[in-house]
């Protein structure tokens, strides 16, 4: 056993969050240089993107979709 002990994997539950569906649309901001992806919401009036979470793999994408109750077909990619 190490100094800090071992990390145990816990079952995480997702709390459903809401967003302003009239003014915001879900987007994935993709980098063309290093393929980083960030999930967030884009204001349809100003074009400003509010970043919510980093997407490292498919599990993160599933968590984003489940957390906000999104339809994957509605999520737009922004480069």
């Amino acid at each position: 056993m190490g100094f800090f002990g071992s990390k145990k994997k816990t079952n995480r539950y997702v709390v459903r969050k809401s967003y302003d569906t009239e003014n915001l649309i879900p987007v994935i901001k993709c980098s063309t240089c290093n393929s980083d992806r960030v999930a967030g919401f884009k204001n349809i009036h100003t074009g400003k993107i509010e970043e919510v979470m980093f997407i490292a793999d498919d599990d993160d994408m599933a968590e984003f979709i489940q957390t906000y109750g999104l339809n994957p077909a509605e999520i737009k990619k922004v480069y």
Side-chain angles (χ1 to χ4, degrees), residues 15-71:
V15 177
R16 173 85 33 116
K17 296 181 181 178
S18 63
Y19 66 99
D20 183 5
T21 57
E22 292 181 15
N23 297 315
L24 302 174
I25 57 171
V27 295
I28 300 296
K29 189 171 150 184
C30 303
S31 171
T32 56
C33 299
N34 55 12
S35 69
D36 284 346
R37 298 181 297 166
V38 178
F41 296 97
K42 182 177 181 178
N43 187 317
I44 59 174
H45 303 292
T46 64
K48 183 177 178 183
I49 297 175
E50 178 186 343
E51 297 175 349
V52 177
M53 66 183 291
F54 181 76
I55 305 294
D57 55 17
D58 291 337
D59 292 337
D60 290 339
M61 179 64 88
E63 182 180 343
F64 175 65
I65 291 169
Q66 186 179 11
T67 300
Y68 291 96
L70 302 172
N71 179 358

